[in-house]
Amino acid sequence: MTILKRDFYNRNACEVARELLGTQLVRMINGQRISGMIVETEAYREGDAASHAHNGRTPRNTPMWETPGLSYVYLTYGMHWLLNAVVESENSPAAVLIRAVEPLEGLDIIAENRHGRPPREWTNGPARMTAALSINAEQNQIDLTAKTDGLWIEASDTIPDENICIGARIGLGKNVSEPWLSMPWRWWIKDNPHVSRVPKPKKSPSTAK
DNA sequence: ACGGAGATCTTCT
DNA sequence: GAAGATCTCCGTT
């Protein structure tokens, strides 16, 4: 498996978010590999009202101005850790939120970290995923392009476009207005059971009873 | 299956 | 002092 290099992250957040689907997020703890295939991502870009970087640089969001390929981990709602990959150049604060993975390795450890919950609820959400992989403040601003910090991402075969869905981002505050609110900057793998949430199926003549 | 509310604390106004 | 890139529990359908 080859680790994703800095050039991969030094691109438009939307491209990176799309291409992270199918790659393998790896957490190494005490020589044990815990990993999962990334199945859901969101992009946050410069000028984007939904981005933490929108109101300028602060102590929390400084990683977004850092080298692409670093991590940006922050606490939300007082109790949940969320993992981003920093992307684009230092001049352009941007990040990709990793919202869900499909568990691949270290399933026993993941089960422990998720305290007996059913496998479907192990990693299908940004905070569930970090809990499953033991990701917290200690993993903030570490280098995802090296194996030295216990967290990295490995390349994989590309998921074809026909197996990818695109939609609006989830959980944006009500301060966020258009066009950012409905910007289609969320990507997920079609029909993957570990995606956090899928839009309600639209009514159509064929599915209506 | 769906919806509402509480949890819990850092960050920024 | 308020809100937050969420999750869980508990209620009702």
Side-chain angles (χ1 to χ4, degrees):
Chain A
M1 289 294 171
T2 66
I3 195 162
L4 295 178
K5 300 182 64 179
R6 205 157 313 284
D7 284 350
F8 178 91
Y9 299 97
N10 191 9
R11 293 183 293 164
N12 182 306
C14 296
E15 269 181 64
V16 178
R18 157 67 178 84
E19 294 195 18
L20 274 175
L21 293 181
T23 63
Q24 192 171 352
L25 180 65
V26 181
R27 180 87 170 94
M28 184 72 84
I29 300 176
N30 298 328
Q32 263 276 349
R33 266 177 78 105
I34 311 171
S35 74
M37 177 179 70
I38 296 176
V39 299
E40 182 183 354
T41 59
E42 284 181 2
Y44 290 86
R45 302 202 66 217
E46 184 172 29
D48 171 11
S51 170
H52 285 173
H54 181 237
N55 289 317
R57 192 165 179 158
T58 66
R60 178 176 68 162
N61 66 21
T62 43
M64 296 184 75
W65 278 263
E66 284 293 333
T67 310
L70 292 196
S71 65
Y72 168 40
V73 177
Y74 69 93
L75 185 68
T76 192
Y77 294 101
M79 66 193 92
H80 301 304
W81 296 104
L82 269 60
L83 169 68
N84 295 259
V86 173
V87 300
E88 306 198 15
S89 73
E90 286 87 344
N91 308 323
S92 172
V96 173
L97 173 67
I98 298 174
R99 291 190 52 92
V101 304
E102 175 176 325
L104 294 177
E105 299 173 284
L107 303 187
D108 49 341
I109 299 176
I110 290 177
E112 265 181 51
N113 290 340
R114 296 294 294 133
H115 197 253
R117 290 186 175 285
R120 276 294 183 26
E121 299 175 13
W122 281 354
T123 54
N124 63 330
R128 292 172 171 181
M129 185 225 88
T130 55
L133 301 199
S134 296
I135 293 168
N136 55 55
E138 294 174 16
Q139 279 68 238
N140 187 29
Q141 218 164 344
I142 59 126
D143 190 358
L144 296 173
T145 71
K147 297 190 175 182
T148 50
D149 295 324
L151 183 66
W152 65 86
I153 304 178
E154 296 177 353
S156 68
D157 292 338
T158 301
I159 308 282
D161 283 344
E162 67 231 36
N163 293 339
I164 288 183
C165 301
I166 305 175
R169 295 171 292 181
I170 291 180
L172 306 185
K174 62 185 222 177
N175 303 353
V176 180
S177 51
E178 299 298 349
W180 311 109
L181 198 52
S182 35
M183 202 67 92
W185 284 358
R186 172 176 177 242
W187 288 260
W188 68 95
I189 297 182
K190 185 181 182 182
D191 296 331
N192 186 287
H194 299 89
V195 169
S196 68
R197 195 171 143 239
V198 293
K200 295 171 187 174
K202 289 185 178 181
K203 283 188 206 171
S204 77
S206 57
T207 57
K209 62 176 178 180

